[in-house]
Amino acid sequence: MCGMPRRLKHEGPVIEAKPLYAQIRSLMLHRIGDGTWKPGMLLPSELQLAEELAVSQGTVRKALDELAAQNIVVRRQGRGTFVTTHDAERALHHFFHLVGDDGTRRLPESQVISFARGVAQAGEVARLELAAGSGVLRIRRLRFLGGKPAISETIAVPIAMIPELDGPVDTAPPEELRDLYQASSNTLYDLYHSRFGIVIVKAVERLRAVAATGEEARLLKVALETPLLEIDRVAIDVRGRPIEWRLSRALTLEHHYLAEIE
């Protein structure tokens, strides 16, 4: 069929110039973004969606194929299509690229060092596309691999994205939120989705070599100016918004960065 979907027009704006499958994809993204379809949820079948949206099954399949290619949904043979979850397994294989020199993969343990609101600095304004003077939640943490300190990390998230952070930027954020970040240290993207309705679909990373500062040398227990790998990552949600800027500085004495290109 070539008409517009009948039942989901109210769920979000539809751009008429888009191909029909792209309009259906946008409607599906809206359902995921507003929490109608939650992480791990089994979606209706292609036939059910085609009937509901008044389009062909092929149009639905093409929309789902694009979502699967972006790791927003996952197809499981014989079981159906599910909304992707940002669990530890996904975090390990899709968003954490430090691998032991012996080939072992493991997620690091994390320790939150500081957790505070503040006014966005120049780098945060640029990476998160914020207006000057915007507030951010800033988290400093130390991450361990094999029980050894391996990564010094700073995370910045726009306060506007997290309703629970509403308040003066010079006051401490809720302790409950700090506890959530600590408990979800390796699945923060799942926390953003389940708690705040923010769906991370991709990350853009920039790599370069840097020298350890005094604080980093102390945290990582290395000499001042020891070479580190800096991983500058911006996480982006389904609406194309930068949600998190993560600056990680990692020791590579026993690990290397692995990118698999297909």
Side-chain angles (χ1 to χ4, degrees), residues 160-214:
M161 300 291 180
I162 303 177
E164 290 165 64
L165 282 173
D166 187 31
V169 295
D170 58 351
T171 59
E175 282 296 318
E176 179 193 7
L177 196 57
R178 179 191 176 105
D179 292 343
L180 274 174
Y181 262 82
Q182 179 63 65
S184 307
S185 59
N186 284 327
T187 52
L188 287 183
Y189 296 170
D190 184 49
L191 173 65
Y192 296 151
H193 192 170
S194 61
R195 183 85 175 198
F196 310 121
I198 296 169
V199 184
I200 301 296
V201 295
K202 70 176 183 177
V204 178
E205 291 187 338
R206 308 177 189 192
L207 308 181
R208 67 174 180 174
V210 297
T213 64

Side-chain angles (χ1 to χ4, degrees), residues 40 42-45 74-82:
L42 173 64
L43 301 187
S45 69
V74 59
R75 295 183 181 277
R76 294 175 181 156
Q77 190 170 7
R79 297 178 60 193
T81 302
F82 297 78

Side-chain angles (χ1 to χ4, degrees), residues 92-109:
L92 179 61
H93 291 283
H94 290 278
F95 292 105
F96 189 75
H97 301 288
L98 284 183
V99 178
D101 288 339
D102 60 359
T104 59
R105 286 179 178 264
R106 62 167 65 92
L107 280 175
E109 298 175 352

Side-chain angles (χ1 to χ4, degrees), residues 19-98:
L20 187 55
Y21 81 87
Q23 296 177 39
I24 298 304
R25 174 184 172 278
S26 294
L27 293 172
M28 291 176 177
L29 281 175
H30 189 83
R31 281 191 166 187
I32 293 170
D34 70 8
T36 300
W37 289 347
K38 300 184 183 302
M41 180 176 174
L42 173 64
L43 301 187
S45 69
E46 290 180 1
L47 181 58
Q48 289 171 317
L49 286 170
E51 291 176 350
E52 178 184 353
L53 302 177
V55 296
S56 71
Q57 192 171 343
T59 297
V60 169
R61 183 176 299 117
K62 189 170 183 179
L64 288 172
D65 284 345
E66 285 210 351
L67 295 179
Q70 294 177 295
N71 295 311
I72 298 171
V73 300
V74 59
R75 295 183 181 277
R76 294 175 181 156
Q77 190 170 7
R79 297 178 60 193
T81 302
F82 297 78
V83 179
T84 296
T85 57
H86 292 289
D87 56 14
E89 184 68 18
R90 176 169 166 76
L92 179 61
H93 291 283
H94 290 278
F95 292 105
F96 189 75
H97 301 288
L98 284 183

Side-chain angles (χ1 to χ4, degrees), residues 101-165:
D101 288 339
D102 60 359
T104 59
R105 286 179 178 264
R106 62 167 65 92
L107 280 175
E109 298 175 352
S110 300
Q111 173 189 343
V112 173
I113 298 170
S114 64
F115 190 86
R117 282 183 277 226
V119 176
Q121 299 173 353
E124 294 162 336
V125 167
R127 288 289 192 273
L128 296 172
E129 299 178 7
L130 299 174
S134 297
V136 294
L137 171 66
R138 197 174 292 123
I139 304 105
R140 289 277 292 117
R141 64 182 186 173
L142 181 62
R143 311 192 80 184
F144 300 80
L145 286 167
K148 301 176 183 178
I151 306 167
S152 173
E153 193 166 77
T154 302
I155 295 173
V157 180
I159 283 179
M161 300 291 180
I162 303 177
E164 290 165 64
L165 282 173

